[in-house]
Structures are given as structure tokens and as C-alpha cells.
């Protein structure tokens, strides 16, 4: 997957054209999920399973659970430990933790970062875009996938 700068660079991230989101989802094969949790009640638990069912490989990232298995994948502590190139980093962390996740994504050479619904960090997004990453904030990846990709 090649990096594609966000069409929102310098404009904010309130609205995303459907073609931008669809194009991103079509290019992705391997997702690093930061904040993946084995707790069934956490949104990341079900969304990881949904994305796997949609054909993506999802590598769970959570230092607290590193070395365990989640939905058939070994949990790693950092994006840089992934055993395959990452096409996208999906983030389930508080906004104040996103800056460190962006730095990890840049080190892992991930071309895109997607912050889940309710997560927004404009400074981290600016840093990601400066490094060439496509950025999505405050959107649920499974909702957008279902809306834009199902039936294609």
C-alpha cells in the first residue's frame, strides 16, 4: 500500500469524502490495532473480529497482554514488533496517548492511521501527515467499512 496524504491536511478532520475512506479501506490488508483488548465488553474486541471477518489481518497491540493470543493472533507490545508490514494503524486509546502511537506508526512505516470514534488529536494528526501518513479521526472503522464496502 502506498501512502496517500490526507485531503484534510491543514483543513481539519470533521468530514471525510466517501471516496477517501473507501480508497483507504480497499488498499489495506494488514491492520495494527493499538489498544486491542481480550475483554469482550471493549469495542476493540468485536471490531477486531469484524475486521478479520471482512478479510483483513489484524495484529493486536497491547503491552499489558503481549505474548497472549487474541482472535488467533499473537498480541504484541509495539507496532514495530509486527511480523508483517502494516497498511494501517487502528487506534483504541485516549486522545492524549495518540502522539506516542503516531511516533510508533511512523517507526513501523505504516502509511495510514485511523483513530476510532471519539478519539481526536489534531497535533498528532498534523505530525502524522507531515510524515506522509493518511489520517482518519473520530470514525469507527467497522461502521465505515459496513457503510462503504459491504455489497461491493
Amino acid at each position: 500500500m502506498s501512502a496517500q496524504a490526507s485531503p484534510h491536511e491543514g483543513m481539519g478532520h470533521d468530514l471525510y469524502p466517501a471516496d477517501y475512506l473507501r480508497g483507504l479501506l480497499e488498499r489495506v490488508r494488514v491492520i495494527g490495532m493499538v489498544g486491542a483488548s481480550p475483554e469482550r465488553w471493549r469495542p476493540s474486541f468485536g471490531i477486531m473480529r469484524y475486521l478479520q471477518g471482512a478479510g483483513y489481518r489484524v495484529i493486536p497491540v497491547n503491552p499489558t497482554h503481549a505474548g497472549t493470543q487474541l482472535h488467533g493472533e499473537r498480541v504484541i507490545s509495539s507496532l514495530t514488533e509486527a511480523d508483517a508490514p502494516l497498511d494501517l494503524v487502528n487506534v483504541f486509546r485516549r486522545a492524549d496517548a495518540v502522539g506516542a502511537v503516531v511516533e510508533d506508526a511512523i517507526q513501523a512505516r505504516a502509511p495510514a492511521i485511523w483513530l476510532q470514534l471519539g478519539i481526536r488529536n489534531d497535533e498528532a494528526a498534523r505530525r502524522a501527515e507531515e510524515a506522509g501518513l493518511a489520517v482518519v479521526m473520530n470514525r469507527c472503522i467497522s461502521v465505515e467499512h459496513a457503510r462503504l464496502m459491504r455489497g461491493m
Side-chain angles (χ1 to χ4, degrees):
M1 179 178 157
S2 62
Q4 177 184 5
S6 170
H8 305 286
E9 194 167 338
M11 298 176 13
H13 285 267
D14 296 318
L15 299 172
Y16 295 95
D19 288 345
Y20 173 70
L21 297 176
R22 185 181 299 109
L24 193 54
L25 292 167
E26 286 174 345
R27 290 189 306 272
V28 169
R29 296 291 169 261
V30 180
I31 298 170
M33 183 177 282
V34 176
S37 175
E39 304 291 336
R40 293 180 165 278
W41 58 273
R42 294 254 187 213
S44 64
F45 183 90
I47 292 173
M48 181 175 172
R49 182 159 281 167
Y50 171 88
L51 292 171
Q52 287 175 318
Y56 299 104
R57 177 175 180 212
V58 183
I59 300 172
V61 181
N62 186 325
T64 303
H65 300 286
T68 64
Q69 293 284 312
L70 181 58
H71 301 313
E73 290 282 348
R74 185 174 74 70
V75 181
I76 58 177
S77 62
S78 167
L79 293 167
T80 58
E81 295 175 18
D83 64 1
L86 300 172
D87 299 314
L88 181 136
V89 173
N90 184 216
V91 182
F92 286 87
R93 295 289 316 276
R94 291 188 333 249
D96 62 358
V98 172
V101 175
V102 165
E103 293 307 317
D104 206 24
I106 292 167
Q107 276 194 311
R109 293 192 163 97
I113 191 162
W114 187 301
L115 308 184
Q116 278 298 128
L117 192 62
I119 306 169
R120 183 180 181 120
N121 182 320
D122 291 311
E123 177 59 29
R126 182 191 59 72
R127 172 71 181 109
E129 289 173 337
E130 285 175 355
L133 279 71
V135 175
V136 175
M137 292 193 290
N138 192 29
R139 294 287 184 279
C140 178
I141 195 168
S142 64
V143 169
E144 296 300 337
H145 182 275
R147 179 175 74 91
L148 298 168
M149 305 292 284
R150 290 293 178 184
M152 287 187 72

